[in-house]
Amino acid sequence: MGKIRAGIVGVHGYVPDYVLTNRELETMVDTSDEWIRTRTGIEERRILKGSGKATSDMAMGAILPLLEKTGTDPDEIELTICGTVTPDTIFPDTANTINSKIGASNAWGFDINAACSGFLFSLSTGARFIESGRYKKILVVGADMMSSIIDYEDRTTCVIFGDGAGAVLLEPVEDGTGLIDEILKGDGKGREYLHMKAGGSLMPATAETVADKKHFVYQDGRPVFKAAIRGMVETVQQIMTRNGLSNATVDWLVPHQANQRIISAVAEGLDFPVEKVMQNIQKYGNTTAATIPLCLWEWEDKLKKEDNLLLTAFGGGFTWGTTYLKWSYDS
Ligand code: UT7
């Protein structure tokens, strides 16, 4: 019997039907398809439409097929962790809402607010519960309805973000696969560059905060761009060194999808072949906590048991890091 690790035993994603194209954005703000493609790599993104719809609905859209394909009864789920910055409500959390919507009546849950690193932080947290030996089935979800906090009159942010959700099922594995190592980081000084000004205890909602558009994402893109490349490259290099990995032995790099140019710069900085880098930003834009599980979902067919994966992210906080895992199944 080997060491108990947390293995991903299934993954599924959900994106809403509505496709917001660069052409449609051209009719909304002073931008162009050409600018968006060349500066971000994004061609279209998905938007959740319909009143009464929220982040938990997209999470449910990812989880129900995941439970189905892994043959899991909702009542077997013991814990759900949801990485999100767009919870259905400030409180209660979204994870327990998800549990009630999917019928996981024996589970408890909580949210993790780590912006674009939300899935990685949630995955590591879930792994600790599995490694303790006490938990056998944990859902880890990355879900964000970014359209609920985006100003569609601000061209510097509205072209980037999209809505989506991805979920994995964690179970104990003792075959040498699973989550092996991680380097996770945070630096609160970075909050200046990427945040939402109002709606929290610092600046509660008032008629003025709404009129002043303080409930939308604010981003000073350039410093975030530079810090993102540095943060992802450094933590990938550190984790490769301490686990004796080389570019030849890493099968897949799974970067947060914030900007095609950031992804390319990270791959270049690591001298890593682009064929082994998962990228779907062109279709979905930046879905914040959902980008990494959406990639895993779309690449699931290509993943083989014991493949070495490096998941890396950078986001608001600042939060960032890299997780090393060995894939646990052949699809
Ligand atoms: O996921 C969480 C972490 N977030 C990130 O990693 C995002 C990091 N930042 C970025 O990806 C990029 O900085 C952006 C995509 C946000 C912006 O790209 P950029 O190449 O850094 O552009 P910029 O902000 O330096 O702006 C260049 C010019 C400006 O015009 P001037 O001042 O040179 O006249 C902007 O006003 O591009 C203008 N601009 C636009 N033009 C057309 C900004 N947004 C747009 C737009 N369409 N949508």
Side-chain angles (χ1 to χ4, degrees), residues 207-237:
E208 285 75 31
T209 62
V210 173
D212 292 346
K213 298 190 162 196
K214 290 191 167 144
H215 296 267
F216 292 125
V217 171
Y218 166 85
Q219 177 169 252
D220 183 357
R222 282 199 184 171
V224 182
F225 188 98
K226 285 187 198 147
I229 296 168
R230 194 174 51 242
M232 289 194 276
V233 168
E234 276 177 10
T235 53
V236 168
Q237 281 171 336

mmCIF file of all heavy atoms in Angstrom, residues 207-237:
data_model
loop_
_atom_site.group_PDB
_atom_site.id
_atom_site.type_symbol
_atom_site.label_atom_id
_atom_site.label_comp_id
_atom_site.label_asym_id
_atom_site.label_seq_id
_atom_site.Cartn_x
_atom_site.Cartn_y
_atom_site.Cartn_z
ATOM 1 N N ALA A 207 -26.183 53.910 -3.182
ATOM 2 C CA ALA A 207 -26.608 54.406 -4.497
ATOM 3 C C ALA A 207 -25.413 55.001 -5.239
ATOM 4 O O ALA A 207 -25.264 54.832 -6.457
ATOM 5 C CB ALA A 207 -27.712 55.444 -4.339
ATOM 6 N N GLU A 208 -24.501 55.661 -4.465
ATOM 7 C CA GLU A 208 -23.323 56.291 -5.102
ATOM 8 C C GLU A 208 -22.366 55.235 -5.659
ATOM 9 O O GLU A 208 -21.837 55.403 -6.755
ATOM 10 C CB GLU A 208 -22.545 57.163 -4.090
ATOM 11 C CG GLU A 208 -23.201 58.489 -3.762
ATOM 12 C CD GLU A 208 -24.412 58.324 -2.837
ATOM 13 O OE1 GLU A 208 -24.418 57.383 -2.008
ATOM 14 O OE2 GLU A 208 -25.363 59.115 -2.974
ATOM 15 N N THR A 209 -22.138 54.170 -4.886
ATOM 16 C CA THR A 209 -21.174 53.165 -5.374
ATOM 17 C C THR A 209 -21.694 52.515 -6.656
ATOM 18 O O THR A 209 -20.913 52.191 -7.547
ATOM 19 C CB THR A 209 -20.871 52.063 -4.327
ATOM 20 O OG1 THR A 209 -22.078 51.361 -4.024
ATOM 21 C CG2 THR A 209 -20.266 52.636 -3.065
ATOM 22 N N VAL A 210 -23.003 52.387 -6.735
ATOM 23 C CA VAL A 210 -23.584 51.819 -7.964
ATOM 24 C C VAL A 210 -23.423 52.821 -9.106
ATOM 25 O O VAL A 210 -22.949 52.473 -10.195
ATOM 26 C CB VAL A 210 -25.070 51.446 -7.750
ATOM 27 C CG1 VAL A 210 -25.703 51.024 -9.076
ATOM 28 C CG2 VAL A 210 -25.190 50.327 -6.724
ATOM 29 N N ALA A 211 -23.791 54.085 -8.832
ATOM 30 C CA ALA A 211 -23.690 55.112 -9.887
ATOM 31 C C ALA A 211 -22.242 55.274 -10.355
ATOM 32 O O ALA A 211 -21.984 55.514 -11.540
ATOM 33 C CB ALA A 211 -24.223 56.448 -9.363
ATOM 34 N N ASP A 212 -21.287 55.118 -9.432
ATOM 35 C CA ASP A 212 -19.867 55.271 -9.774
ATOM 36 C C ASP A 212 -19.247 53.991 -10.357
ATOM 37 O O ASP A 212 -18.017 53.915 -10.518
ATOM 38 C CB ASP A 212 -19.058 55.702 -8.534
ATOM 39 C CG ASP A 212 -19.425 57.111 -8.087
ATOM 40 O OD1 ASP A 212 -20.089 57.824 -8.880
ATOM 41 O OD2 ASP A 212 -19.083 57.485 -6.944
ATOM 42 N N LYS A 213 -20.061 52.987 -10.578
ATOM 43 C CA LYS A 213 -19.601 51.725 -11.197
ATOM 44 C C LYS A 213 -18.515 51.040 -10.380
ATOM 45 O O LYS A 213 -17.526 50.548 -10.949
ATOM 46 C CB LYS A 213 -19.106 51.991 -12.618
ATOM 47 C CG LYS A 213 -20.174 52.527 -13.531
ATOM 48 C CD LYS A 213 -19.673 52.515 -14.943
ATOM 49 C CE LYS A 213 -20.838 52.608 -15.911
ATOM 50 N NZ LYS A 213 -20.498 52.246 -17.249
ATOM 51 N N LYS A 214 -18.682 51.058 -9.067
ATOM 52 C CA LYS A 214 -17.653 50.462 -8.217
ATOM 53 C C LYS A 214 -17.911 48.986 -7.904
ATOM 54 O O LYS A 214 -17.199 48.394 -7.104
ATOM 55 C CB LYS A 214 -17.523 51.273 -6.940
ATOM 56 C CG LYS A 214 -16.893 52.635 -7.246
ATOM 57 C CD LYS A 214 -16.506 53.385 -6.015
ATOM 58 C CE LYS A 214 -15.603 54.550 -6.420
ATOM 59 N NZ LYS A 214 -15.789 55.742 -5.627
ATOM 60 N N HIS A 215 -18.944 48.429 -8.544
ATOM 61 C CA HIS A 215 -19.231 47.008 -8.311
ATOM 62 C C HIS A 215 -18.780 46.153 -9.495
ATOM 63 O O HIS A 215 -19.276 45.056 -9.705
ATOM 64 C CB HIS A 215 -20.725 46.814 -8.020
ATOM 65 C CG HIS A 215 -21.171 47.496 -6.765
ATOM 66 N ND1 HIS A 215 -21.200 46.860 -5.543
ATOM 67 C CD2 HIS A 215 -21.554 48.775 -6.521
ATOM 68 C CE1 HIS A 215 -21.612 47.703 -4.613
ATOM 69 N NE2 HIS A 215 -21.833 48.885 -5.171
ATOM 70 N N PHE A 216 -17.863 46.707 -10.265
ATOM 71 C CA PHE A 216 -17.340 45.970 -11.421
ATOM 72 C C PHE A 216 -15.853 45.675 -11.223
ATOM 73 O O PHE A 216 -15.185 46.295 -10.385
ATOM 74 C CB PHE A 216 -17.497 46.816 -12.687
ATOM 75 C CG PHE A 216 -18.928 47.027 -13.104
ATOM 76 C CD1 PHE A 216 -19.434 48.311 -13.287
ATOM 77 C CD2 PHE A 216 -19.770 45.939 -13.325
ATOM 78 C CE1 PHE A 216 -20.748 48.515 -13.694
ATOM 79 C CE2 PHE A 216 -21.093 46.140 -13.730
ATOM 80 C CZ PHE A 216 -21.581 47.425 -13.918
ATOM 81 N N VAL A 217 -15.336 44.762 -12.039
ATOM 82 C CA VAL A 217 -13.901 44.435 -11.995
ATOM 83 C C VAL A 217 -13.100 45.662 -12.430
ATOM 84 O O VAL A 217 -13.385 46.278 -13.453
ATOM 85 C CB VAL A 217 -13.583 43.271 -12.964
ATOM 86 C CG1 VAL A 217 -12.071 43.082 -13.099
ATOM 87 C CG2 VAL A 217 -14.251 41.983 -12.512
ATOM 88 N N TYR A 218 -12.091 45.990 -11.603
ATOM 89 C CA TYR A 218 -11.109 47.004 -11.995
ATOM 90 C C TYR A 218 -9.784 46.271 -12.230
ATOM 91 O O TYR A 218 -9.358 45.470 -11.393
ATOM 92 C CB TYR A 218 -10.922 48.061 -10.893
ATOM 93 C CG TYR A 218 -9.683 48.904 -11.139
ATOM 94 C CD1 TYR A 218 -9.734 50.005 -11.975
ATOM 95 C CD2 TYR A 218 -8.454 48.536 -10.569
ATOM 96 C CE1 TYR A 218 -8.578 50.744 -12.233
ATOM 97 C CE2 TYR A 218 -7.304 49.266 -10.827
ATOM 98 C CZ TYR A 218 -7.377 50.359 -11.662
ATOM 99 O OH TYR A 218 -6.244 51.084 -11.935
ATOM 100 N N GLN A 219 -9.146 46.547 -13.348
ATOM 101 C CA GLN A 219 -7.827 45.942 -13.587
ATOM 102 C C GLN A 219 -6.887 46.941 -14.239
ATOM 103 O O GLN A 219 -7.237 47.582 -15.225
ATOM 104 C CB GLN A 219 -7.947 44.713 -14.487
ATOM 105 C CG GLN A 219 -6.580 44.104 -14.824
ATOM 106 C CD GLN A 219 -6.644 42.740 -15.480
ATOM 107 O OE1 GLN A 219 -6.321 41.735 -14.871
ATOM 108 N NE2 GLN A 219 -7.054 42.704 -16.736
ATOM 109 N N ASP A 220 -5.696 47.049 -13.665
ATOM 110 C CA ASP A 220 -4.598 47.768 -14.312
ATOM 111 C C ASP A 220 -3.771 46.664 -14.988
ATOM 112 O O ASP A 220 -2.960 45.994 -14.343
ATOM 113 C CB ASP A 220 -3.798 48.520 -13.231
ATOM 114 C CG ASP A 220 -2.675 49.351 -13.834
ATOM 115 O OD1 ASP A 220 -2.486 49.293 -15.064
ATOM 116 O OD2 ASP A 220 -1.984 50.047 -13.074
ATOM 117 N N GLY A 221 -4.036 46.455 -16.270
ATOM 118 C CA GLY A 221 -3.584 45.248 -16.961
ATOM 119 C C GLY A 221 -2.092 45.004 -17.023
ATOM 120 O O GLY A 221 -1.643 43.880 -16.827
ATOM 121 N N ARG A 222 -1.312 46.077 -17.246
ATOM 122 C CA ARG A 222 0.129 45.839 -17.496
ATOM 123 C C ARG A 222 0.887 45.250 -16.314
ATOM 124 O O ARG A 222 1.622 44.271 -16.488
ATOM 125 C CB ARG A 222 0.788 47.123 -17.973
ATOM 126 C CG ARG A 222 0.472 47.346 -19.430
ATOM 127 C CD ARG A 222 1.413 48.307 -20.068
ATOM 128 N NE ARG A 222 0.980 48.536 -21.437
ATOM 129 C CZ ARG A 222 1.489 49.466 -22.216
ATOM 130 N NH1 ARG A 222 2.436 50.255 -21.766
ATOM 131 N NH2 ARG A 222 1.054 49.600 -23.439
ATOM 132 N N PRO A 223 0.747 45.838 -15.097
ATOM 133 C CA PRO A 223 1.453 45.204 -13.972
ATOM 134 C C PRO A 223 0.978 43.776 -13.699
ATOM 135 O O PRO A 223 1.782 42.918 -13.310
ATOM 136 C CB PRO A 223 1.139 46.110 -12.771
ATOM 137 C CG PRO A 223 0.266 47.204 -13.248
ATOM 138 C CD PRO A 223 0.102 47.097 -14.721
ATOM 139 N N VAL A 224 -0.313 43.524 -13.935
ATOM 140 C CA VAL A 224 -0.821 42.162 -13.723
ATOM 141 C C VAL A 224 -0.189 41.224 -14.757
ATOM 142 O O VAL A 224 0.239 40.109 -14.424
ATOM 143 C CB VAL A 224 -2.370 42.115 -13.826
ATOM 144 C CG1 VAL A 224 -2.879 40.707 -13.552
ATOM 145 C CG2 VAL A 224 -3.015 43.107 -12.875
ATOM 146 N N PHE A 225 -0.120 41.686 -15.974
ATOM 147 C CA PHE A 225 0.472 40.909 -17.072
ATOM 148 C C PHE A 225 1.893 40.462 -16.705
ATOM 149 O O PHE A 225 2.238 39.287 -16.790
ATOM 150 C CB PHE A 225 0.489 41.806 -18.315
ATOM 151 C CG PHE A 225 0.883 41.153 -19.594
ATOM 152 C CD1 PHE A 225 -0.079 40.721 -20.492
ATOM 153 C CD2 PHE A 225 2.223 40.984 -19.928
ATOM 154 C CE1 PHE A 225 0.280 40.124 -21.700
ATOM 155 C CE2 PHE A 225 2.588 40.389 -21.128
ATOM 156 C CZ PHE A 225 1.620 39.966 -22.022
ATOM 157 N N LYS A 226 2.695 41.425 -16.267
ATOM 158 C CA LYS A 226 4.105 41.111 -15.947
ATOM 159 C C LYS A 226 4.203 40.167 -14.749
ATOM 160 O O LYS A 226 4.965 39.203 -14.771
ATOM 161 C CB LYS A 226 4.863 42.402 -15.618
ATOM 162 C CG LYS A 226 5.172 43.213 -16.845
ATOM 163 C CD LYS A 226 6.083 44.379 -16.468
ATOM 164 C CE LYS A 226 6.047 45.437 -17.555
ATOM 165 N NZ LYS A 226 6.194 46.778 -17.091
ATOM 166 N N ALA A 227 3.429 40.481 -13.698
ATOM 167 C CA ALA A 227 3.496 39.642 -12.486
ATOM 168 C C ALA A 227 3.007 38.230 -12.783
ATOM 169 O O ALA A 227 3.505 37.253 -12.208
ATOM 170 C CB ALA A 227 2.672 40.283 -11.372
ATOM 171 N N ALA A 228 2.023 38.109 -13.678
ATOM 172 C CA ALA A 228 1.466 36.788 -14.005
ATOM 173 C C ALA A 228 2.526 35.915 -14.666
ATOM 174 O O ALA A 228 2.707 34.743 -14.300
ATOM 175 C CB ALA A 228 0.248 36.942 -14.921
ATOM 176 N N ILE A 229 3.236 36.465 -15.614
ATOM 177 C CA ILE A 229 4.271 35.666 -16.300
ATOM 178 C C ILE A 229 5.345 35.246 -15.296
ATOM 179 O O ILE A 229 5.700 34.071 -15.186
ATOM 180 C CB ILE A 229 4.897 36.459 -17.465
ATOM 181 C CG1 ILE A 229 3.830 36.746 -18.522
ATOM 182 C CG2 ILE A 229 6.084 35.706 -18.071
ATOM 183 C CD1 ILE A 229 4.243 37.762 -19.574
ATOM 184 N N ARG A 230 5.814 36.240 -14.515
ATOM 185 C CA ARG A 230 6.882 35.942 -13.552
ATOM 186 C C ARG A 230 6.426 34.883 -12.540
ATOM 187 O O ARG A 230 7.124 33.906 -12.278
ATOM 188 C CB ARG A 230 7.298 37.238 -12.844
ATOM 189 C CG ARG A 230 8.600 37.112 -12.084
ATOM 190 C CD ARG A 230 9.062 38.446 -11.511
ATOM 191 N NE ARG A 230 8.027 39.126 -10.748
ATOM 192 C CZ ARG A 230 7.512 40.307 -11.050
ATOM 193 N NH1 ARG A 230 7.932 40.965 -12.101
ATOM 194 N NH2 ARG A 230 6.578 40.860 -10.303
ATOM 195 N N GLY A 231 5.236 35.080 -11.987
ATOM 196 C CA GLY A 231 4.734 34.187 -10.934
ATOM 197 C C GLY A 231 4.554 32.761 -11.420
ATOM 198 O O GLY A 231 4.908 31.799 -10.725
ATOM 199 N N MET A 232 4.030 32.609 -12.624
ATOM 200 C CA MET A 232 3.804 31.248 -13.127
ATOM 201 C C MET A 232 5.134 30.590 -13.503
ATOM 202 O O MET A 232 5.380 29.441 -13.143
ATOM 203 C CB MET A 232 2.803 31.274 -14.290
ATOM 204 C CG MET A 232 1.391 31.581 -13.793
ATOM 205 S SD MET A 232 0.069 31.259 -14.987
ATOM 206 C CE MET A 232 0.102 32.774 -15.928
ATOM 207 N N VAL A 233 5.994 31.329 -14.190
ATOM 208 C CA VAL A 233 7.282 30.734 -14.594
ATOM 209 C C VAL A 233 8.080 30.314 -13.351
ATOM 210 O O VAL A 233 8.594 29.194 -13.274
ATOM 211 C CB VAL A 233 8.103 31.714 -15.474
ATOM 212 C CG1 VAL A 233 9.537 31.223 -15.651
ATOM 213 C CG2 VAL A 233 7.442 31.882 -16.842
ATOM 214 N N GLU A 234 8.170 31.213 -12.369
ATOM 215 C CA GLU A 234 8.983 30.904 -11.175
ATOM 216 C C GLU A 234 8.471 29.675 -10.433
ATOM 217 O O GLU A 234 9.246 28.800 -10.060
ATOM 218 C CB GLU A 234 8.979 32.108 -10.213
ATOM 219 C CG GLU A 234 10.018 33.134 -10.588
ATOM 220 C CD GLU A 234 9.980 34.372 -9.692
ATOM 221 O OE1 GLU A 234 9.272 34.376 -8.645
ATOM 222 O OE2 GLU A 234 10.658 35.336 -10.054
ATOM 223 N N THR A 235 7.153 29.608 -10.218
ATOM 224 C CA THR A 235 6.647 28.474 -9.425
ATOM 225 C C THR A 235 6.710 27.169 -10.217
ATOM 226 O O THR A 235 6.928 26.105 -9.636
ATOM 227 C CB THR A 235 5.227 28.738 -8.890
ATOM 228 O OG1 THR A 235 4.365 29.115 -9.975
ATOM 229 C CG2 THR A 235 5.216 29.830 -7.835
ATOM 230 N N VAL A 236 6.548 27.244 -11.545
ATOM 231 C CA VAL A 236 6.709 26.020 -12.349
ATOM 232 C C VAL A 236 8.158 25.543 -12.250
ATOM 233 O O VAL A 236 8.425 24.355 -12.003
ATOM 234 C CB VAL A 236 6.320 26.254 -13.832
ATOM 235 C CG1 VAL A 236 6.764 25.079 -14.701
ATOM 236 C CG2 VAL A 236 4.810 26.444 -13.980
ATOM 237 N N GLN A 237 9.099 26.477 -12.404
ATOM 238 C CA GLN A 237 10.514 26.083 -12.343
ATOM 239 C C GLN A 237 10.854 25.471 -10.975
ATOM 240 O O GLN A 237 11.513 24.442 -10.887
ATOM 241 C CB GLN A 237 11.419 27.297 -12.599
ATOM 242 C CG GLN A 237 11.517 27.621 -14.071
ATOM 243 C CD GLN A 237 12.221 28.938 -14.348
ATOM 244 O OE1 GLN A 237 12.253 29.835 -13.489
ATOM 245 N NE2 GLN A 237 12.758 29.085 -15.544
#
